Amino acid sequence: MSNRFAPLGFFVFHKFRVLLYFFIVTFFSYFMATGFYYQATLVGIEVSQEMDQSSSDSDEDLQVDQEEVVDDDESLGEIQYLSRYGQAISDKPWVPLIELSLYLLIFLILFIYVMPISKVLAEGYETVDKDLREKSKNHIVNLSWKTFSLCWVLAVLFFINQYVFEKLHFNLISLGETLLMAATWFSFGLSTSSLIIAIYDVHIIDFFVYLFPANEMKHARTDASSVNLTTRVISLILAICVLPLILLLFQSSTTVLMSDFWTQILAGTGREYLFDYYEDLTPILYGMCLILFSLLSALILGRSLIRSLFEPLTSMVRRMEKVKKGDFDAHANVYNNNEFGKLSANFNKMVDGLKESHKMMENVDKFLSAEVRESVLVEDVNLGGEEVEATVLFCDIRSFTTISEEMPPTELVAFLNEFFSYLVKPITDNKGVVNKYIGDCIMALFGVPNRTSDHSDNALKAIVGMRKALAVLNHRRTQKGLPTISIGVGIHSGTLVAGNIGDKTRMEYTVIGDTVNVAARIESETKAQKTDLLISEDVKNSLSESYREIEFVSVPGIHVKGRAKPVNLYKILDKDLSAISEEVKVKDENEVPSYEDFMDEQG
């Protein structure tokens, strides 16, 4: 990059010539504006003098030879104008210096603003410090807007300078002269700002690749200020089509012959004057009508362009915002087969695809936990596994075989879904993941796939929440005249292997190893120990300090195949579980949905 931009490339003579373009545009616009003001002032004085002379002449004087009057008025007007402007400059020679100073001030502000960009382009993106990189990025994305604003600031400063200058010199400025000055510098600001925006937006976009890494080019420019497209097109139409036509119309209507014509109209003798100078006035009037027609056509076509181009674009942006918020019914209307018609049709196809993908993700969430889903979507699928430290929880329904024999299949499925809808929430609320449902059994994981060091604590809090949720469920079942449900829960902590297991066509994220087998055996032992909860010694030892004051009651251990020593087991007294329950927040009876509500939500 440093080979393309010389170290002293201050945007004037090298590739990034924004200051050179600014100078050229403002230079020519300035002389166009001042030329317009010169002509307007000159003609205005002549018209005023002719009106004064017409009002003082008698009806007999109006028969005087018109060519002599025109010559006298034109000479008088020129002398008056030169006397006014020349005398002012000779009396106050500092006025042009003030205008030059104002211009140099604006030019210097722009020069300083683009210097960080110049330095990064000259020295290379990787060689400059991070602060300068960020500053150059911010400056280049706001360069068009800043220069656009500076053009209007310069126009306002020129207007104030000229107004103060003429106010000081002539002591009195009429409303017409003030409006003429305002129109002059408004045309300057309009032409410069429109052309600057048109040139800069095309020119500077080629240099973004030198200031932004590829991964940053796809993000929205939230730190950028810009002129919206509607304002740009309106400005360009006014500057390129409307303003020149207005100047031509003004020029045509303020010639010496037309000035006499307007004067005669005001004096009430316009018809006679038109007949006397018919051959001379007809081409001018025809040209003025043609210019006026072109002006109206430009305004109508400009309005049509704005409606046909920017209203669909603005509507498309609004629909995109709705889709961003999850509204997948925000389709665009397709009216034709032009570029906007194709854009709208493709946008609708994209929205339909997103809606289908969203529905698919909702269905995936019913079969995979959010943590597993994110792991599958963000990371590449790996059929291998990894060893992790985690806690495994098993929970099943007591006497489920007896319960299931008394229910038809549809009621049995409804019963299990209601049971799971109550007991799964405390697990997920405490950073747990339901790995699978095995009949009436829930297998949950803590510390995997999301790594947490307090997985044993979370498992214990989940058990307390499951107890409270079960109490709410049993209360509702009692109100309906249904039998209550009892559960058994066993948890064990240790090393296990976690990963996506299966083949290329179908996989399941799960865990395997001795820890899983031991947890399942512990849950089975709860029935023999006549308790609803048993934990292993590994869980007890891995609990944090805040749970060390709990009284754990030792129960006979279990022998596991492949282990020489039995697995020591503990149960927790109800009073200690009650103390833990103060930390656990579970929805109350009115907030936990019934199975009917649950099925309605699933839709």
Side-chain angles (χ1 to χ4, degrees), residues 296-559:
L296 293 175
S297 299
L299 294 174
I300 294 172
L301 290 175
R303 181 177 180 273
S304 175
L305 176 65
I306 292 171
R307 290 199 61 182
S308 62
L309 185 62
F310 297 110
E311 287 188 4
L313 195 60
T314 304
S315 176
M316 184 67 69
V317 172
R318 288 198 300 265
R319 287 182 169 86
M320 287 181 178
E321 291 294 330
K322 291 182 178 179
V323 173
K324 180 181 177 182
K325 296 176 181 178
D327 181 4
F328 297 108
D329 294 322
H331 291 84
N333 296 326
V334 182
Y335 297 107
N336 47 51
N337 196 35
N338 61 14
E339 288 79 359
F340 278 105
K342 294 177 181 178
L343 176 64
S344 299
N346 290 326
F347 172 78
N348 293 338
K349 291 181 181 179
M350 181 193 71
V351 172
D352 290 338
L354 289 173
K355 185 176 182 179
E356 184 177 349
S357 299
H358 181 72
K359 186 176 181 180
M360 186 181 300
M361 292 303 301
E362 288 181 337
N363 291 331
V364 168
D365 288 342
K366 296 177 182 179
F367 299 96
L368 293 177
S369 66
E371 293 81 2
V372 175
R373 182 199 66 194
E374 292 300 324
S375 177
V376 171
L377 293 178
V378 175
E379 304 172 4
D380 293 333
V381 176
N382 180 13
L383 294 182
E386 57 179 336
E387 287 191 346
V388 294
E389 290 292 326
T391 297
V392 183
L393 178 149
F394 278 89
C395 169
D396 77 345
I397 301 175
R398 287 284 172 264
S399 305
F400 177 71
T401 303
T402 304
I403 295 174
S404 62
E405 290 177 350
E406 298 174 355
M407 290 185 182
T410 54
E411 292 185 14
L412 180 61
V413 172
F415 165 73
L416 288 176
N417 287 338
E418 184 180 34
F419 171 75
F420 291 143
S421 69
Y422 276 82
L423 269 67
V424 166
K425 189 68 167 59
I427 295 174
T428 56
D429 284 348
N430 290 282
K431 303 179 183 179
V433 175
V434 175
N435 182 250
K436 59 171 61 76
Y437 300 101
I438 311 170
D440 65 312
C441 179
I442 300 173
M443 176 181 170
L445 308 175
F446 296 85
V448 63
N450 292 337
R451 306 292 187 268
T452 56
S453 59
D454 57 347
H455 48 84
S456 298
D457 293 2
N458 293 329
L460 195 60
K461 288 189 288 186
I463 292 172
V464 177
M466 293 167 70
R467 269 187 160 193
K468 298 175 71 173
L470 182 64
V472 175
L473 175 59
N474 282 331
H475 176 70
R476 287 190 168 178
R477 289 180 63 84
T478 302
Q479 290 180 330
K480 296 178 181 180
L482 299 174
T484 59
I485 303 171
S486 300
I487 61 172
V489 180
I491 58 175
H492 179 53
S493 299
T495 303
L496 45 79
V497 177
N500 296 295
I501 297 176
D503 59 18
K504 292 288 185 180
T505 60
R506 185 178 184 278
M507 288 168 288
E508 179 183 32
Y509 185 89
T510 188
V511 292
I512 57 176
D514 182 66
T515 301
V516 180
N517 299 330
V518 172
R521 286 288 310 277
I522 294 174
E523 186 276 320
S524 300
E525 188 66 16
T526 58
K527 186 183 298 185
Q529 299 296 332
K530 298 183 179 178
T531 182
D532 64 345
L533 170 63
L534 286 177
I535 67 172
S536 66
E537 189 172 27
D538 292 318
V539 174
K540 172 178 172 292
N541 294 334
S542 61
L543 291 172
S544 62
E545 292 292 337
S546 58
Y547 296 103
R548 293 298 172 86
E549 296 182 359
I550 295 176
E551 182 179 352
F552 297 95
V553 179
S554 177
V555 298
I558 57 174
H559 292 275

